[in-house]
Amino acid sequence: MPARHAADGTASPGLSETGDAIDSNIMSSAENPVILGIETSCDETAAAVLRGRTILSNVIASQTDIHREYGGVVPELASRHHLERIDLVVDLALGRAGTRLADLDAVAVTCGPGLVGSLLVGLQAAKAIAYVRSIPLLAVNHLEGHLRSVFLEHPGVPFPAVSLIASGGHTSLYLSGDEDRAVRLARTRDDASGEAFDKVAKLVGLGYPGGPVVDRLARSGDRKAVPFSPPRMSDGSLDFSFSGFKTAVLRHARARGLDRRFPAGEPDQETRDLLASFQSAVVEFMVKRVLTVARREAARSICLSGGVACNSLLRARLAEEAAGAGLQCFAVSPSLAGDNAAMIAEVGRRKLLLGEVADLSQNADPGLEF
Ligand code: KG4
Ligand code: ZN
């Protein structure tokens, strides 16, 4: 059954919910278990309930407003705020789904990668629920969550599929033979793509997170105004690298006196042109990499996930190039692109089916690989 989710609705500042509330008692079955997902790896406190592949609720309490004044995520503040909100967010997710703790078949939680203090909050909450209800604990890799967010939303993705995960912490390419097998083909050697957007926004005096604001301002800029040269790997690898784009922006902004000229107001046309050129260069670099790998691996489809999947130019250009190459393109919806717990519950659902259950000694692993 395809995943379903309603449009975002803001419940209170910094808190968003998706999912259709249901009012009858929840019925689970072996094929359609009711799973609570919990995600606290960075600065979103998130909980979601899935029944099978159906998203019953998807609650995300964002900490963006708290970290904005520091220009990035402050780990100590993040864990403290997770601690303050986790119970409320879990209660909201259960309530919105029309479920109680007693209805749950399992609890899935992100165990890494991420900020250790933040991960531990979600992990302890999940362990407590698993222990008290005597239900399986499912330990989930955050990046597998992003990868699978596309399969959750589009159950008919044809394989082999090449997936680009582009977020604030990671930018990697994977080849999936089916839903359960993914091999990493490339990763970033320095900054993540979202990190590059955030740093560039910061150095021209725009707020955090930078991705959405660059995306918006680039719409009224000339993407051909400033030339950028994409990085070339001397070993011929298809890995990504984004720090050169950021340095080029820094040099150009300094030379033209564009850095930090607009701390409060809207940037001028020259800055918009620079941002549009930067965004276009980064997007074309990523799209080219994805298409090269997809052709080499004889993929049938291309999948896009992670926070940077919200980028309007990336979505459009990837869809365009995929269509030109005869490939299907699946970009996750913005409501499932950023960090969320529905994707964590979905990985948990597969783990439950495969019998991959964690025990209560499960620890957080900030550097967990995928
Ligand atoms: O997946 P995510 O919510 O968190 C991580 O796991 O990192 O991704 C957050 C990142 C931030 O760097 C943010 O600037 C970026 O996604 N982002 C965007 C856009 N919306 C969010 N980057 C470019 N264009 C956007 N529209
Ligand atoms: Zn993420």
Side-chain angles (χ1 to χ4, degrees):
M1 187 200 284
R4 66 185 163 89
H5 48 82
D8 268 356
T10 302
S12 64
L15 201 95
S16 67
E17 297 179 46
T18 61
D20 302 332
I22 50 169
D23 49 22
S24 57
N25 275 349
I26 234 23
M27 298 291 289
S28 73
S29 65
E31 304 83 55
N32 291 310
V34 177
I35 298 184
L36 170 70
I38 295 178
E39 154 66 38
T40 60
S41 67
C42 190
D43 61 342
E44 325 281 359
T45 316
V49 179
L50 253 62
R51 182 182 50 201
R53 298 185 90 121
T54 303
I55 300 171
L56 300 181
S57 65
N58 190 18
V59 177
I60 303 166
S62 171
Q63 299 180 8
T64 302
D65 290 344
I66 293 153
H67 300 286
R68 183 171 286 125
E69 67 177 290
Y70 304 97
V73 178
V74 182
E76 286 75 10
L77 285 181
S79 45
R80 197 185 313 158
H81 281 90
H82 284 310
L83 206 52
E84 280 170 11
R85 293 171 173 193
I86 187 71
D87 290 349
L88 172 71
V89 168
V90 167
D91 282 350
L92 265 174
L94 291 169
R96 176 99 177 117
T99 52
R100 297 157 302 157
L101 283 179
D103 299 315
L104 298 177
D105 292 308
V107 54
V109 63
T110 305
C111 62
L115 302 169
V116 69
S118 293
L119 289 165
L120 283 169
V121 175
L123 195 58
Q124 293 308 333
K127 281 186 189 178
I129 292 169
Y131 176 70
V132 166
R133 296 303 317 160
S134 299
I135 54 174
L137 175 73
L138 307 159
V140 174
N141 186 310
H142 179 81
L143 294 171
E144 189 175 358
H146 278 305
L147 183 102
R148 278 183 182 276
S149 62
V150 182
F151 307 152
L152 172 62
E153 199 172 33
H154 304 283
V157 169
F159 293 99
V162 165
S163 298
L164 172 64
I165 301 178
S167 73
H170 300 87
T171 300
S172 307
L173 269 178
Y174 297 85
L175 177 67
S176 296
D178 59 41
E179 276 203 24
D180 295 314
R181 284 179 304 141
V183 181
R184 192 178 66 209
L185 301 176
R187 64 192 309 183
T188 181
R189 295 205 175 169
D190 40 54
D191 293 346
S193 50
E195 195 179 352
F197 274 90
D198 295 339
K199 287 179 174 172
V200 160
K202 197 172 175 180
L203 66 87
V204 295
L206 299 167
Y208 170 86
V213 69
V214 172
D215 193 352
R216 178 174 64 80
L217 293 168
R219 281 179 208 152
S220 51
D222 174 7
R223 66 178 79 161
K224 295 203 170 73
V226 183
F228 282 86
S229 9
R232 263 194 225 107
M233 300 297 163
S234 52
D235 58 3
S237 141
L238 289 171
D239 277 348
F240 296 98
S241 166
F242 296 97
S243 64
F245 292 109
K246 176 196 65 193
T247 310
V249 170
L250 179 64
R251 282 213 193 96
H252 185 88
R254 285 213 174 128
R256 303 285 312 156
L258 302 174
D259 49 333
R260 300 191 173 281
R261 232 170 53 185
F262 313 100
E266 283 285 284
D268 64 2
Q269 191 57 45
E270 195 179 356
T271 305
R272 288 165 195 261
D273 291 348
L274 173 61
L275 295 176
S277 303
F278 157 78
Q279 174 176 272
S280 173
V282 165
V283 163
E284 294 308 323
F285 171 60
M286 286 196 280
V287 168
K288 197 166 174 196
R289 281 276 194 274
V290 176
L291 265 293
T292 303
V293 168
R295 284 200 192 91
R296 189 187 74 187
E297 303 295 337
R300 294 176 62 206
S301 58
I302 287 172
C303 301
L304 174 65
S305 59
V308 183
C310 294
N311 186 269
S312 54
L313 184 66
L314 178 59
R315 296 176 82 86
R317 288 289 298 125
L318 201 58
E320 208 170 66
E321 290 296 318
L327 298 167
Q328 292 193 55
C329 185
F330 301 90
V332 75
S333 297
S335 64
L336 288 178
D339 290 348
N340 68 85
M343 67 185 193
I344 303 305
E346 166 63 2
V347 180
R349 187 182 69 79
R350 300 296 298 185
K351 284 191 176 290
L352 190 64
L353 283 175
L354 299 170
E356 293 175 14
V357 174
D359 63 43
L360 294 178
S361 66
Q362 176 71 45
N363 208 346
D365 183 350
L368 191 62
E369 291 277 332
F370 179 61

